[in-house]
mmCIF file of all heavy atoms in Angstrom:
data_model
loop_
_atom_site.group_PDB
_atom_site.id
_atom_site.type_symbol
_atom_site.label_atom_id
_atom_site.label_comp_id
_atom_site.label_asym_id
_atom_site.label_seq_id
_atom_site.Cartn_x
_atom_site.Cartn_y
_atom_site.Cartn_z
ATOM 1 N N LEU A 28 68.745 99.860 232.299
ATOM 2 C CA LEU A 28 68.505 100.404 233.632
ATOM 3 C C LEU A 28 68.028 101.851 233.577
ATOM 4 O O LEU A 28 67.231 102.284 234.410
ATOM 5 C CB LEU A 28 69.764 100.284 234.483
ATOM 6 C CG LEU A 28 70.148 98.862 234.912
ATOM 7 C CD1 LEU A 28 71.492 98.867 235.628
ATOM 8 C CD2 LEU A 28 69.078 98.253 235.806
ATOM 9 N N LYS A 29 68.488 102.587 232.593
ATOM 10 C CA LYS A 29 68.010 103.972 232.420
ATOM 11 C C LYS A 29 66.511 103.994 232.158
ATOM 12 O O LYS A 29 65.821 104.959 232.491
ATOM 13 C CB LYS A 29 68.740 104.643 231.253
ATOM 14 C CG LYS A 29 70.196 104.970 231.524
ATOM 15 C CD LYS A 29 70.847 105.533 230.266
ATOM 16 C CE LYS A 29 72.329 105.772 230.457
ATOM 17 N NZ LYS A 29 72.980 106.243 229.194
ATOM 18 N N LYS A 30 66.000 102.926 231.550
ATOM 19 C CA LYS A 30 64.576 102.822 231.232
ATOM 20 C C LYS A 30 63.802 102.071 232.315
ATOM 21 O O LYS A 30 62.647 101.693 232.105
ATOM 22 C CB LYS A 30 64.405 102.110 229.884
ATOM 23 C CG LYS A 30 65.013 102.862 228.701
ATOM 24 C CD LYS A 30 64.869 102.050 227.413
ATOM 25 C CE LYS A 30 65.460 102.781 226.220
ATOM 26 N NZ LYS A 30 64.666 103.979 225.861
ATOM 27 N N ARG A 31 64.439 101.821 233.451
ATOM 28 C CA ARG A 31 63.828 101.101 234.579
ATOM 29 C C ARG A 31 63.428 99.686 234.177
ATOM 30 O O ARG A 31 62.428 99.136 234.638
ATOM 31 C CB ARG A 31 62.624 101.860 235.128
ATOM 32 C CG ARG A 31 62.939 103.241 235.670
ATOM 33 C CD ARG A 31 63.617 103.176 237.003
ATOM 34 N NE ARG A 31 62.730 102.762 238.093
ATOM 35 C CZ ARG A 31 63.097 102.693 239.372
ATOM 36 N NH1 ARG A 31 64.356 103.000 239.704
ATOM 37 N NH2 ARG A 31 62.253 102.312 240.306
ATOM 38 N N ILE A 32 64.228 99.080 233.317
ATOM 39 C CA ILE A 32 64.052 97.686 232.929
ATOM 40 C C ILE A 32 65.097 96.865 233.679
ATOM 41 O O ILE A 32 66.264 97.246 233.729
ATOM 42 C CB ILE A 32 64.219 97.507 231.412
ATOM 43 C CG1 ILE A 32 63.092 98.228 230.662
ATOM 44 C CG2 ILE A 32 64.245 96.024 231.032
ATOM 45 C CD1 ILE A 32 63.319 98.324 229.169
ATOM 46 N N VAL A 33 64.680 95.753 234.273
ATOM 47 C CA VAL A 33 65.607 94.883 234.995
ATOM 48 C C VAL A 33 66.178 93.856 234.017
ATOM 49 O O VAL A 33 65.444 93.021 233.491
ATOM 50 C CB VAL A 33 64.913 94.146 236.145
ATOM 51 C CG1 VAL A 33 65.917 93.244 236.881
ATOM 52 C CG2 VAL A 33 64.283 95.126 237.117
ATOM 53 N N PRO A 34 67.477 93.900 233.750
ATOM 54 C CA PRO A 34 68.080 92.883 232.891
ATOM 55 C C PRO A 34 68.588 91.706 233.719
ATOM 56 O O PRO A 34 68.997 91.883 234.864
ATOM 57 C CB PRO A 34 69.253 93.630 232.252
ATOM 58 C CG PRO A 34 69.656 94.642 233.277
ATOM 59 C CD PRO A 34 68.434 94.963 234.110
ATOM 60 N N PHE A 35 68.514 90.517 233.160
ATOM 61 C CA PHE A 35 69.199 89.389 233.777
ATOM 62 C C PHE A 35 69.958 88.629 232.708
ATOM 63 O O PHE A 35 69.640 88.695 231.525
ATOM 64 C CB PHE A 35 68.245 88.484 234.573
ATOM 65 C CG PHE A 35 67.283 87.655 233.746
ATOM 66 C CD1 PHE A 35 67.583 86.343 233.385
ATOM 67 C CD2 PHE A 35 66.048 88.174 233.369
ATOM 68 C CE1 PHE A 35 66.693 85.572 232.659
ATOM 69 C CE2 PHE A 35 65.147 87.410 232.635
ATOM 70 C CZ PHE A 35 65.465 86.104 232.277
ATOM 71 N N TYR A 36 70.978 87.933 233.150
ATOM 72 C CA TYR A 36 71.922 87.256 232.263
ATOM 73 C C TYR A 36 72.012 85.804 232.710
ATOM 74 O O TYR A 36 72.073 85.523 233.910
ATOM 75 C CB TYR A 36 73.278 87.946 232.368
ATOM 76 C CG TYR A 36 74.384 87.401 231.505
ATOM 77 C CD1 TYR A 36 74.727 88.021 230.304
ATOM 78 C CD2 TYR A 36 75.117 86.287 231.893
ATOM 79 C CE1 TYR A 36 75.769 87.525 229.514
ATOM 80 C CE2 TYR A 36 76.154 85.795 231.114
ATOM 81 C CZ TYR A 36 76.469 86.413 229.928
ATOM 82 O OH TYR A 36 77.496 85.921 229.146
ATOM 83 N N SER A 37 71.997 84.868 231.769
ATOM 84 C CA SER A 37 71.991 83.451 232.115
ATOM 85 C C SER A 37 73.203 82.746 231.520
ATOM 86 O O SER A 37 73.599 83.025 230.386
ATOM 87 C CB SER A 37 70.709 82.789 231.603
ATOM 88 O OG SER A 37 69.556 83.447 232.103
ATOM 89 N N ALA A 38 73.767 81.803 232.301
ATOM 90 C CA ALA A 38 74.926 81.040 231.838
ATOM 91 C C ALA A 38 74.848 79.624 232.376
ATOM 92 O O ALA A 38 74.520 79.408 233.548
ATOM 93 C CB ALA A 38 76.230 81.692 232.297
ATOM 94 N N SER A 39 75.133 78.665 231.520
ATOM 95 C CA SER A 39 75.208 77.278 231.965
ATOM 96 C C SER A 39 76.319 77.135 233.001
ATOM 97 O O SER A 39 77.335 77.844 232.947
ATOM 98 C CB SER A 39 75.491 76.367 230.767
ATOM 99 O OG SER A 39 75.893 75.073 231.197
ATOM 100 N N VAL A 40 76.155 76.205 233.935
ATOM 101 C CA VAL A 40 77.191 75.995 234.945
ATOM 102 C C VAL A 40 78.489 75.496 234.312
ATOM 103 O O VAL A 40 79.555 75.571 234.936
ATOM 104 C CB VAL A 40 76.727 74.991 236.027
ATOM 105 C CG1 VAL A 40 75.544 75.542 236.804
ATOM 106 C CG2 VAL A 40 76.381 73.637 235.411
ATOM 107 N N THR A 41 78.431 75.008 233.080
ATOM 108 C CA THR A 41 79.636 74.522 232.409
ATOM 109 C C THR A 41 80.306 75.579 231.543
ATOM 110 O O THR A 41 81.407 75.356 231.029
ATOM 111 C CB THR A 41 79.304 73.308 231.515
ATOM 112 O OG1 THR A 41 78.393 73.717 230.475
ATOM 113 C CG2 THR A 41 78.673 72.187 232.319
ATOM 114 N N ASN A 42 79.659 76.733 231.371
ATOM 115 C CA ASN A 42 80.193 77.769 230.486
ATOM 116 C C ASN A 42 80.952 78.819 231.304
ATOM 117 O O ASN A 42 80.404 79.859 231.673
ATOM 118 C CB ASN A 42 79.065 78.419 229.677
ATOM 119 C CG ASN A 42 79.579 79.263 228.529
ATOM 120 O OD1 ASN A 42 80.714 79.731 228.541
ATOM 121 N ND2 ASN A 42 78.743 79.464 227.529
ATOM 122 N N ILE A 43 82.196 78.528 231.596
ATOM 123 C CA ILE A 43 83.001 79.414 232.439
ATOM 124 C C ILE A 43 83.205 80.779 231.775
ATOM 125 O O ILE A 43 83.168 81.821 232.437
ATOM 126 C CB ILE A 43 84.366 78.781 232.751
ATOM 127 C CG1 ILE A 43 84.178 77.406 233.406
ATOM 128 C CG2 ILE A 43 85.193 79.694 233.649
ATOM 129 C CD1 ILE A 43 83.403 77.435 234.689
ATOM 130 N N GLY A 44 83.417 80.799 230.455
ATOM 131 C CA GLY A 44 83.614 82.064 229.752
ATOM 132 C C GLY A 44 82.431 82.991 229.907
ATOM 133 O O GLY A 44 82.588 84.193 230.159
ATOM 134 N N SER A 45 81.221 82.446 229.774
ATOM 135 C CA SER A 45 80.017 83.260 229.926
ATOM 136 C C SER A 45 79.865 83.755 231.355
ATOM 137 O O SER A 45 79.460 84.900 231.592
ATOM 138 C CB SER A 45 78.785 82.442 229.514
ATOM 139 O OG SER A 45 77.623 83.238 229.516
ATOM 140 N N GLN A 46 80.206 82.916 232.319
ATOM 141 C CA GLN A 46 80.147 83.335 233.721
ATOM 142 C C GLN A 46 81.130 84.480 233.989
ATOM 143 O O GLN A 46 80.828 85.401 234.757
ATOM 144 C CB GLN A 46 80.454 82.146 234.627
ATOM 145 C CG GLN A 46 79.421 81.035 234.573
ATOM 146 C CD GLN A 46 79.872 79.794 235.298
ATOM 147 O OE1 GLN A 46 80.545 79.864 236.325
ATOM 148 N NE2 GLN A 46 79.528 78.631 234.775
ATOM 149 N N MET A 47 82.295 84.440 233.351
ATOM 150 C CA MET A 47 83.275 85.510 233.524
ATOM 151 C C MET A 47 82.765 86.822 232.937
ATOM 152 O O MET A 47 82.988 87.893 233.504
ATOM 153 C CB MET A 47 84.594 85.102 232.879
ATOM 154 C CG MET A 47 85.304 83.955 233.600
ATOM 155 S SD MET A 47 86.779 83.369 232.743
ATOM 156 C CE MET A 47 87.846 84.805 232.879
ATOM 157 N N VAL A 48 82.070 86.736 231.804
ATOM 158 C CA VAL A 48 81.471 87.944 231.215
ATOM 159 C C VAL A 48 80.474 88.555 232.191
ATOM 160 O O VAL A 48 80.446 89.773 232.410
ATOM 161 C CB VAL A 48 80.801 87.628 229.873
ATOM 162 C CG1 VAL A 48 79.968 88.823 229.394
ATOM 163 C CG2 VAL A 48 81.847 87.284 228.821
ATOM 164 N N ALA A 49 79.648 87.709 232.798
ATOM 165 C CA ALA A 49 78.657 88.206 233.760
ATOM 166 C C ALA A 49 79.345 88.927 234.917
ATOM 167 O O ALA A 49 78.950 90.042 235.294
ATOM 168 C CB ALA A 49 77.811 87.044 234.284
ATOM 169 N N ALA A 50 80.389 88.309 235.470
ATOM 170 C CA ALA A 50 81.086 88.913 236.608
ATOM 171 C C ALA A 50 81.740 90.234 236.224
ATOM 172 O O ALA A 50 81.667 91.227 236.961
ATOM 173 C CB ALA A 50 82.129 87.938 237.152
ATOM 174 N N ARG A 51 82.390 90.263 235.064
ATOM 175 C CA ARG A 51 83.066 91.479 234.627
ATOM 176 C C ARG A 51 82.082 92.582 234.244
ATOM 177 O O ARG A 51 82.453 93.752 234.195
ATOM 178 C CB ARG A 51 83.970 91.154 233.442
ATOM 179 C CG ARG A 51 85.172 90.290 233.803
ATOM 180 C CD ARG A 51 85.857 89.772 232.559
ATOM 181 N NE ARG A 51 87.031 88.958 232.889
ATOM 182 C CZ ARG A 51 87.647 88.164 232.031
ATOM 183 N NH1 ARG A 51 87.204 88.067 230.774
ATOM 184 N NH2 ARG A 51 88.694 87.452 232.402
ATOM 185 N N SER A 52 80.850 92.201 233.979
ATOM 186 C CA SER A 52 79.838 93.181 233.584
ATOM 187 C C SER A 52 79.087 93.747 234.782
ATOM 188 O O SER A 52 78.117 94.485 234.616
ATOM 189 C CB SER A 52 78.848 92.536 232.608
ATOM 190 O OG SER A 52 79.498 92.084 231.442
ATOM 191 N N GLY A 53 79.526 93.380 235.989
ATOM 192 C CA GLY A 53 78.882 93.917 237.185
ATOM 193 C C GLY A 53 77.661 93.140 237.626
ATOM 194 O O GLY A 53 76.825 93.654 238.376
ATOM 195 N N TYR A 54 77.555 91.885 237.176
ATOM 196 C CA TYR A 54 76.417 91.039 237.552
ATOM 197 C C TYR A 54 76.808 90.094 238.686
ATOM 198 O O TYR A 54 77.979 89.723 238.819
ATOM 199 C CB TYR A 54 75.964 90.198 236.358
ATOM 200 C CG TYR A 54 75.080 90.935 235.364
ATOM 201 C CD1 TYR A 54 75.583 91.966 234.582
ATOM 202 C CD2 TYR A 54 73.742 90.589 235.208
ATOM 203 C CE1 TYR A 54 74.782 92.634 233.668
ATOM 204 C CE2 TYR A 54 72.931 91.243 234.297
ATOM 205 C CZ TYR A 54 73.453 92.265 233.527
ATOM 206 O OH TYR A 54 72.660 92.922 232.630
ATOM 207 N N VAL A 55 75.815 89.685 239.479
ATOM 208 C CA VAL A 55 76.033 88.722 240.557
ATOM 209 C C VAL A 55 75.020 87.588 240.409
ATOM 210 O O VAL A 55 73.907 87.788 239.933
ATOM 211 C CB VAL A 55 75.877 89.376 241.948
ATOM 212 C CG1 VAL A 55 76.995 90.383 242.189
ATOM 213 C CG2 VAL A 55 74.510 90.048 242.088
ATOM 214 N N PRO A 56 75.402 86.358 240.817
ATOM 215 C CA PRO A 56 74.452 85.233 240.746
ATOM 216 C C PRO A 56 73.251 85.507 241.638
ATOM 217 O O PRO A 56 73.398 85.989 242.770
ATOM 218 C CB PRO A 56 75.273 84.051 241.275
ATOM 219 C CG PRO A 56 76.700 84.473 241.167
ATOM 220 C CD PRO A 56 76.710 85.953 241.353
ATOM 221 N N PHE A 57 72.060 85.198 241.130
ATOM 222 C CA PHE A 57 70.854 85.489 241.908
ATOM 223 C C PHE A 57 69.959 84.270 242.084
ATOM 224 O O PHE A 57 69.284 84.140 243.089
ATOM 225 C CB PHE A 57 70.081 86.633 241.260
ATOM 226 C CG PHE A 57 69.241 87.422 242.222
ATOM 227 C CD1 PHE A 57 69.816 88.028 243.322
ATOM 228 C CD2 PHE A 57 67.872 87.565 242.035
ATOM 229 C CE1 PHE A 57 69.048 88.752 244.224
ATOM 230 C CE2 PHE A 57 67.096 88.291 242.921
ATOM 231 C CZ PHE A 57 67.684 88.888 244.016
ATOM 232 N N TRP A 58 69.928 83.390 241.095
ATOM 233 C CA TRP A 58 69.228 82.114 241.277
ATOM 234 C C TRP A 58 69.800 81.073 240.328
ATOM 235 O O TRP A 58 70.474 81.395 239.366
ATOM 236 C CB TRP A 58 67.724 82.257 241.094
ATOM 237 C CG TRP A 58 67.187 82.348 239.688
ATOM 238 C CD1 TRP A 58 66.687 81.318 238.925
ATOM 239 C CD2 TRP A 58 67.021 83.530 238.884
ATOM 240 N NE1 TRP A 58 66.244 81.785 237.705
ATOM 241 C CE2 TRP A 58 66.431 83.145 237.661
ATOM 242 C CE3 TRP A 58 67.323 84.887 239.088
ATOM 243 C CZ2 TRP A 58 66.149 84.058 236.655
ATOM 244 C CZ3 TRP A 58 67.040 85.788 238.078
ATOM 245 C CH2 TRP A 58 66.452 85.369 236.879
ATOM 246 N N VAL A 59 69.552 79.807 240.663
ATOM 247 C CA VAL A 59 69.984 78.677 239.843
ATOM 248 C C VAL A 59 68.777 77.794 239.610
ATOM 249 O O VAL A 59 67.975 77.561 240.528
ATOM 250 C CB VAL A 59 71.104 77.862 240.538
ATOM 251 C CG1 VAL A 59 71.457 76.625 239.711
ATOM 252 C CG2 VAL A 59 72.332 78.722 240.764
ATOM 253 N N ASP A 60 68.637 77.301 238.396
ATOM 254 C CA ASP A 60 67.577 76.330 238.148
ATOM 255 C C ASP A 60 68.056 75.250 237.190
ATOM 256 O O ASP A 60 69.096 75.384 236.543
ATOM 257 C CB ASP A 60 66.287 76.996 237.639
ATOM 258 C CG ASP A 60 66.469 77.802 236.367
ATOM 259 O OD1 ASP A 60 67.401 77.500 235.592
ATOM 260 O OD2 ASP A 60 65.683 78.739 236.136
ATOM 261 N N THR A 61 67.305 74.171 237.155
ATOM 262 C CA THR A 61 67.596 73.097 236.212
ATOM 263 C C THR A 61 66.922 73.409 234.886
ATOM 264 O O THR A 61 66.030 74.266 234.804
ATOM 265 C CB THR A 61 67.067 71.754 236.725
ATOM 266 O OG1 THR A 61 65.643 71.823 236.843
ATOM 267 C CG2 THR A 61 67.672 71.410 238.070
ATOM 268 N N PHE A 62 67.341 72.725 233.841
ATOM 269 C CA PHE A 62 66.611 72.824 232.588
ATOM 270 C C PHE A 62 65.202 72.293 232.839
ATOM 271 O O PHE A 62 65.011 71.355 233.617
ATOM 272 C CB PHE A 62 67.264 71.988 231.492
ATOM 273 C CG PHE A 62 68.656 72.442 231.109
ATOM 274 C CD1 PHE A 62 69.416 71.696 230.232
ATOM 275 C CD2 PHE A 62 69.200 73.609 231.618
ATOM 276 C CE1 PHE A 62 70.695 72.094 229.870
ATOM 277 C CE2 PHE A 62 70.484 74.028 231.275
ATOM 278 C CZ PHE A 62 71.228 73.256 230.393
ATOM 279 N N GLY A 63 64.223 72.881 232.186
ATOM 280 C CA GLY A 63 62.857 72.379 232.296
ATOM 281 C C GLY A 63 62.751 71.067 231.533
ATOM 282 O O GLY A 63 62.764 71.047 230.309
ATOM 283 N N THR A 64 62.676 69.951 232.250
ATOM 284 C CA THR A 64 62.643 68.645 231.614
ATOM 285 C C THR A 64 61.216 68.314 231.201
ATOM 286 O O THR A 64 60.339 68.133 232.048
ATOM 287 C CB THR A 64 63.171 67.561 232.569
ATOM 288 O OG1 THR A 64 64.467 67.930 233.019
ATOM 289 C CG2 THR A 64 63.246 66.213 231.867
ATOM 290 N N ILE A 65 60.984 68.228 229.908
ATOM 291 C CA ILE A 65 59.674 67.858 229.375
ATOM 292 C C ILE A 65 59.834 66.526 228.664
ATOM 293 O O ILE A 65 60.552 66.419 227.674
ATOM 294 C CB ILE A 65 59.134 68.917 228.397
ATOM 295 C CG1 ILE A 65 59.055 70.282 229.093
ATOM 296 C CG2 ILE A 65 57.757 68.508 227.865
ATOM 297 C CD1 ILE A 65 58.676 71.410 228.172
ATOM 298 N N LEU A 66 59.174 65.508 229.160
ATOM 299 C CA LEU A 66 59.364 64.161 228.632
ATOM 300 C C LEU A 66 58.412 63.908 227.471
ATOM 301 O O LEU A 66 57.468 63.133 227.553
ATOM 302 C CB LEU A 66 59.153 63.143 229.752
ATOM 303 C CG LEU A 66 60.014 63.406 230.996
ATOM 304 C CD1 LEU A 66 59.696 62.410 232.088
ATOM 305 C CD2 LEU A 66 61.479 63.372 230.641
ATOM 306 N N ASP A 67 58.663 64.612 226.364
ATOM 307 C CA ASP A 67 57.792 64.508 225.194
ATOM 308 C C ASP A 67 58.510 63.923 223.988
ATOM 309 O O ASP A 67 58.028 63.989 222.865
ATOM 310 C CB ASP A 67 57.237 65.885 224.830
ATOM 311 C CG ASP A 67 58.337 66.880 224.475
ATOM 312 O OD1 ASP A 67 59.528 66.528 224.614
ATOM 313 O OD2 ASP A 67 58.009 68.006 224.074
ATOM 314 N N GLY A 68 59.696 63.371 224.203
ATOM 315 C CA GLY A 68 60.463 62.801 223.111
ATOM 316 C C GLY A 68 61.519 63.729 222.555
ATOM 317 O O GLY A 68 62.312 63.324 221.708
ATOM 318 N N SER A 69 61.569 64.980 223.028
ATOM 319 C CA SER A 69 62.515 65.944 222.475
ATOM 320 C C SER A 69 63.845 65.961 223.227
ATOM 321 O O SER A 69 64.817 66.531 222.752
ATOM 322 C CB SER A 69 61.913 67.355 222.501
ATOM 323 O OG SER A 69 61.653 67.769 223.832
ATOM 324 N N SER A 70 63.893 65.358 224.399
ATOM 325 C CA SER A 70 65.098 65.378 225.204
ATOM 326 C C SER A 70 66.069 64.295 224.768
ATOM 327 O O SER A 70 65.674 63.167 224.455
ATOM 328 C CB SER A 70 64.746 65.185 226.685
ATOM 329 O OG SER A 70 65.909 64.885 227.432
ATOM 330 N N ALA A 71 67.347 64.630 224.796
ATOM 331 C CA ALA A 71 68.378 63.641 224.479
ATOM 332 C C ALA A 71 68.431 62.541 225.525
ATOM 333 O O ALA A 71 69.024 61.486 225.296
ATOM 334 C CB ALA A 71 69.731 64.326 224.385
#
């Protein structure tokens, strides 16, 4: 932020520990998205 760079932090909806780190670090949820599903044979 001192360098006028906007940081963002991402956490899976199932990763409660990571979400807690975000909250304790002064971050707030700003958007939610799905994984980018590419049907090329790489998806489980």
Side-chain angles (χ1 to χ4, degrees):
L28 289 174
K29 289 176 185 176
K30 297 177 180 291
R31 299 285 288 183
I32 294 169
V33 180
F35 71 95
Y36 181 100
S37 304
S39 166
V40 296
T41 63
N42 193 337
I43 304 301
S45 186
Q46 294 170 36
M47 292 174 66
V48 170
R51 291 168 179 165
S52 300
Y54 280 68
V55 293
F57 207 57
W58 78 96
V59 176
D60 58 26
T61 63
F62 296 173
T64 305
I65 303 174
L66 306 177
D67 61 355
S69 62
S70 166

